[in-house]
Amino acid sequence: MIVWHPDTNSLGVKTMSFWRILLLSLLLLCGVLFVAGCEAEPEEKPVSPLIVINDQEISKADFLAEFEKTLQKDQPLTGIEREELQRSFLVQLIDRELIHGEARRLNIEITEADIDAALQAYRQDYSGTSFETMLQERGVTLEGWREELKESLIMEKLLEEAVYSRVDVIDKEVTAYYEANRGQFDRPAQVRARQIVVANEAEGQEVLGLLRQGRPFAEIAAEYSLSPDAEQGGDLGFFARGEMPPEFDEVVFDLPVNRLSDLVKSDYGYHIFLVEEKRKATRLKKKDAADEIRAILESQKKEVVYLDWLQEMRARAVISVDWAQLEENHTNR
């Protein structure tokens, strides 16, 4: 037992030593607890990529974000269906990255003017605000869609220059295809007709009166017809039996050329038809079918050379997929 006495230096020294030792002990204890606390918190491990293609890495998050863009809005999927779609999309994504890598290597470029022209052509298939509606349903901005279009155009240009340029169809192949597939070039009887569609019989009779007075059919169709082909003057092009509603066939194939039909009722409204030309059933001669045959053979050959080229790209590439990450994603659902 230590007794403090104000006049004794030795006791004072001893007392000071005791407090220093106590303070040091507390500091050491806090240090031990701090280290223990740090060791209790596990270090965050770096997230490994889901896919590695040469020097290109794709994380699971990026993969899933891209995958979701391919699905229809509110599309119901079972776990197995989602897994199969993801695996299929993964293969497509790898092929896409391989193609993009080759495009970069060959310096394939697309100008803004090329993108604008393609965008304008694409938008012509949409009326009103339906194009904007399509983007909203896909969850894509216009700029994002332009970027997708640019990638598509680059891929097309690459394939045309580096792959499809290998394709050639010779006359001997055209002849062989025609001889082996003669029946494919049998053409049934066809007619080329125009139509005007109105909502009711009274309006139909009014339009018939205007036509019988000599007003041009295409002009009246553009002004009065409710059908989408009104902008083309009601032109339906050539068609054979069975390609149009039965009500059409019952009238137009028996209607003389340049003769107006009476009113024809259908589920779409009241129709007036004008037949402009008729073609008899026939078999195309080889010279008449040559362009069609050449297009068929070119398409077949393009598919073959594309798959061969893509296989070459895959064989040269270093590709790895962390399948365990995908399996983990399926398990957690």
Side-chain angles (χ1 to χ4, degrees):
M1 178 177 173
I2 302 175
V3 180
W4 178 80
H5 193 285
D7 298 329
T8 307
N9 288 334
S10 58
L11 289 179
V13 171
K14 288 179 181 180
T15 302
M16 291 296 293
S17 298
F18 168 79
W19 288 110
R20 286 176 181 173
I21 292 171
L22 179 59
L23 179 59
L24 181 59
S25 299
L26 289 172
L27 290 174
L28 289 174
L29 178 59
C30 289
V32 170
L33 291 174
F34 177 78
V35 172
C38 291
E39 291 177 349
E41 296 180 5
E43 295 183 2
E44 291 186 6
K45 296 181 180 179
V47 178
S48 59
L50 174 66
I51 310 168
V52 178
I53 308 166
N54 295 324
D55 58 349
Q56 182 74 21
E57 295 185 351
I58 302 173
S59 69
K60 184 172 75 171
D62 288 341
F63 169 78
L64 292 177
E66 288 293 314
F67 172 70
E68 292 299 327
K69 292 179 184 179
T70 67
L71 301 179
Q72 296 179 5
K73 189 176 182 181
D74 301 325
Q75 179 180 359
L77 291 173
T78 65
I80 294 177
E81 288 173 338
R82 178 174 287 272
E83 182 177 349
E84 290 176 350
L85 285 175
Q86 282 186 353
R87 287 179 176 273
S88 175
F89 177 69
L90 186 143
V91 174
Q92 295 174 26
L93 183 61
I94 290 174
D95 290 343
R96 189 180 76 183
E97 290 301 323
L98 288 174
I99 293 171
H100 286 169
E102 186 68 3
R104 290 191 294 270
R105 188 182 73 82
L106 296 177
N107 294 319
I108 303 295
E109 295 181 351
I110 294 293
T111 66
E112 290 299 313
D114 293 330
I115 300 173
D116 289 338
L119 176 60
Q120 185 64 29
Y122 194 89
R123 291 194 70 153
Q124 289 179 356
D125 294 333
Y126 293 84
S127 60
T129 60
S130 58
F131 178 76
E132 287 73 17
T133 301
M134 179 274 292
L135 293 181
Q136 290 177 358
E137 290 176 349
R138 286 190 55 197
V140 180
T141 64
L142 179 59
E143 286 305 312
W145 194 86
R146 279 180 64 91
E147 191 61 31
E148 291 181 10
L149 180 60
K150 179 180 179 180
E151 290 182 2
S152 177
L153 292 174
I154 288 175
M155 290 172 67
E156 288 178 10
K157 187 175 181 180
L158 168 66
L159 293 177
E160 287 295 336
E161 293 183 4
V163 183
Y164 297 152
S165 58
R166 309 176 191 177
V167 171
D168 185 33
V169 176
I170 60 177
D171 292 340
K172 185 177 179 179
E173 292 172 317
V174 173
T175 300
Y177 187 94
Y178 180 80
E179 295 297 332
N181 301 275
R182 283 178 177 270
Q184 184 176 331
F185 303 102
D186 287 343
R187 295 294 183 263
Q190 294 179 311
V191 298
R192 181 176 184 176
R194 293 180 184 270
Q195 70 167 344
I196 296 172
V197 186
V198 294
N200 55 64
E201 186 175 1
E203 188 175 0
Q205 293 295 346
E206 180 185 346
V207 170
L208 264 177
L210 294 173
L211 292 170
R212 287 168 178 162
Q213 292 173 18
R215 292 278 300 276
F217 193 98
E219 178 184 307
I220 296 296
E223 184 176 350
Y224 288 93
S225 183
L226 302 176
S227 181
D229 48 58
E231 294 181 1
Q232 289 76 46
D235 189 5
L236 296 170
F238 280 97
F239 57 92
R241 289 185 184 273
E243 295 178 6
M244 293 289 183
E247 297 91 344
F248 290 31
D249 292 352
E250 291 172 5
V251 175
V252 297
F253 284 94
D254 294 328
L255 191 67
V257 173
N258 294 324
R259 181 80 60 83
L260 289 173
S261 73
D262 292 326
L263 286 180
V264 178
K265 189 176 185 306
S266 79
D267 293 339
Y268 305 100
Y270 288 81
H271 303 253
I272 303 169
F273 294 103
L274 173 69
V275 173
E276 294 189 323
E277 187 178 348
K278 290 189 175 183
R279 289 176 177 172
K280 294 180 180 180
T282 186
R283 172 174 288 176
L284 294 181
K285 296 179 180 180
K286 188 188 75 172
K287 65 177 182 179
D288 298 321
D291 289 344
E292 181 180 340
I293 295 172
R294 196 172 296 277
I296 292 171
L297 294 176
E298 282 183 355
S299 178
Q300 292 175 349
K301 288 191 172 188
K302 282 180 177 181
E303 184 176 358
V304 171
V305 298
Y306 169 73
L307 292 175
D308 289 344
W309 174 79
L310 192 57
Q311 190 59 40
E312 293 172 8
M313 297 282 292
R314 291 170 180 166
R316 292 201 308 265
V318 178
I319 303 171
S320 65
V321 179
D322 187 352
W323 294 107
Q325 286 196 52
L326 269 190
E327 293 297 333
E328 177 185 82
N329 188 61
H330 300 145
T331 303
N332 292 336
R333 282 190 171 272

